[in-house]
Amino acid sequence: MRSFYAVAFTGGFTSAARYLSIGQPTVSEQVRALEQRFDVELFYRSGSQLELSSAGKRLYEITKPLFDLEEEAVHLLESFKQRKSGLLRIGGVSPPIAMDLVFKLGQNNPDLELKTYFSSASEVLEKLYDFEVDVALLAHPKSDPSLHTQLYQRYPVVAVVPEQHAWCAQSRVSVEQLRDEPVVLREKGSRTRQIMEEGCEQHQISMNCVMELNSREAIVHAIRKGMGIGFVSAPEYVDIPGTRLITFEHHPFFIDYYLCCLELRKDRPLINDLFMDLESTH
């Protein structure tokens, strides 16, 4: 049937063979077999001239929409192959960091459908393992041979203070100034908290944690009320009235974000492209 359509569509056996990327004898044999099976003449042959019979014309009218749909399907698959369209699901622990990636992807791939999921690192990882997200942006992915990871970006950690805080009169502050300063921290397991605790320990400074909260929004409200200062990676700071961003001298604290996917899925076209683009920018 495919060979018949190709001959009718291109107007000849040789051109049909080129169209199908097979040998001309094969096309001739298949059309002849079709005619013999149903005892019907589909083409009138006269020397080099070829003309559809009445039965051939009616069959061509039926087969043309079928193979037009097939060609449309091939074009669709080619567009996926060329990464022009498709669905990519991104999980992340930090909306500002992940949305920066989503924005760049959307700019470069307007036909790409993007879905995002934000939660704790453990929940995002669970979504990744369960194939509910394709890639994840994590601050500290665990060492796991089933994961493929690549450094996405390194950002300095900054302090967030109430606008009436004494530090607001300074352009930068030293690590030493953290000594005895009341701080509001995320729950244990937070990568930002872990970095600050490890960094302060290296400088032999004991942080004065006055409150522990499991929500960035709650921490911001606590800071605005003057209950203490907090910490975020630089891109996560939002200029909220009543707060100020303070930078540390020499950027002693920083946080690395990694792009992660399952090792068994790293060669999937959209995922592989994302990692290749990331590698080319580093």
Side-chain angles (χ1 to χ4, degrees):
M1 196 74 73
R2 186 188 305 277
S3 290
F4 160 77
Y5 169 77
V7 175
F9 178 70
T10 63
F13 286 91
T14 302
S15 54
R18 286 197 297 267
Y19 178 75
L20 296 173
S21 299
I22 60 177
Q24 187 267 329
T26 302
V27 176
S28 299
E29 289 171 9
Q30 290 183 349
V31 172
R32 190 179 303 112
L34 187 64
E35 291 178 316
Q36 291 174 351
R37 178 179 177 185
F38 295 101
D39 193 21
V40 64
E41 189 174 24
L42 298 173
F43 295 100
Y44 297 133
R45 301 163 177 83
S46 177
S48 60
Q49 297 297 313
L50 192 69
E51 183 182 347
L52 280 167
S53 67
S54 58
K57 289 177 181 177
R58 292 178 64 183
L59 183 59
Y60 179 64
E61 289 174 2
I62 294 173
T63 56
K64 188 176 187 307
L66 296 176
F67 289 104
D68 282 347
L69 286 173
E70 181 189 50
E71 188 171 351
E72 184 178 343
V74 170
H75 286 317
L76 174 66
L77 292 172
E78 285 292 337
S79 74
F80 287 130
K81 180 181 178 182
Q82 296 166 15
R83 288 50 146 188
K84 293 179 181 178
S85 60
L87 169 65
L88 188 66
R89 301 164 301 174
I90 301 172
V93 293
S94 169
I97 305 298
M99 291 311 297
D100 178 64
L101 174 63
V102 169
F103 175 76
K104 291 175 182 176
L105 284 171
Q107 290 287 99
N108 297 330
N109 306 276
D111 294 328
L112 186 62
E113 183 182 356
L114 298 165
K115 290 187 177 181
T116 56
Y117 171 82
F118 301 108
S119 189
S120 65
S122 60
E123 290 179 348
V124 170
L125 266 176
E126 185 177 349
K127 293 281 187 182
L128 191 65
Y129 288 134
D130 290 342
F131 297 87
E132 294 181 34
V133 297
D134 301 305
V135 296
L137 273 174
L138 301 173
H140 188 56
K142 64 180 182 178
S143 179
D144 184 344
S146 70
L147 289 180
H148 175 68
T149 64
Q150 189 170 323
L151 179 65
Y152 174 68
Q153 196 65 264
R154 168 174 286 188
Y155 298 105
V157 175
V158 297
V160 183
V161 304
E163 61 183 0
Q164 69 272 18
H165 197 280
W167 287 1
C168 293
Q170 302 175 240
S171 58
R172 293 173 182 266
V173 297
S174 67
V175 176
E176 183 62 32
Q177 287 176 264
L178 283 172
R179 195 179 299 278
D180 299 325
E181 187 72 33
V183 299
V184 181
L185 295 175
R186 288 291 300 269
E187 72 281 8
K188 289 187 181 295
S190 159
R191 181 58 177 161
T192 306
R193 174 173 179 163
Q194 182 182 357
I195 287 169
M196 293 304 302
E197 288 178 336
E198 291 175 354
C200 286
E201 185 177 348
Q202 288 176 3
H203 288 83
Q204 298 181 333
I205 294 172
S206 177
M207 280 198 300
N208 176 25
C209 178
V210 296
M211 189 174 295
E212 181 181 295
L213 298 168
N214 66 349
S215 157
R216 284 191 181 90
E217 184 180 5
I219 288 178
V220 170
H221 284 293
I223 293 169
R224 289 178 62 187
K225 293 292 186 180
M227 298 178 180
I229 67 171
F231 310 99
V232 295
S233 64
E236 292 180 309
Y237 174 73
V238 180
D239 189 11
I240 296 176
T243 67
R244 290 279 299 277
L245 178 151
I246 303 296
T247 304
F248 290 101
E249 292 177 351
H250 311 302
H251 299 300
F253 313 108
F254 57 85
I255 185 166
D256 290 332
Y257 285 91
Y258 292 84
L259 188 66
C260 312
C261 73
L262 293 177
E263 178 71 25
L264 60 83
R265 302 191 71 211
K266 69 178 182 180
D267 294 324
R268 295 293 178 93
L270 288 174
I271 298 174
N272 181 64
D273 260 12
L274 182 55
F275 277 89
M276 292 295 289
D277 289 344
L278 178 59
E279 186 175 343
S280 66
T281 59
H282 281 68

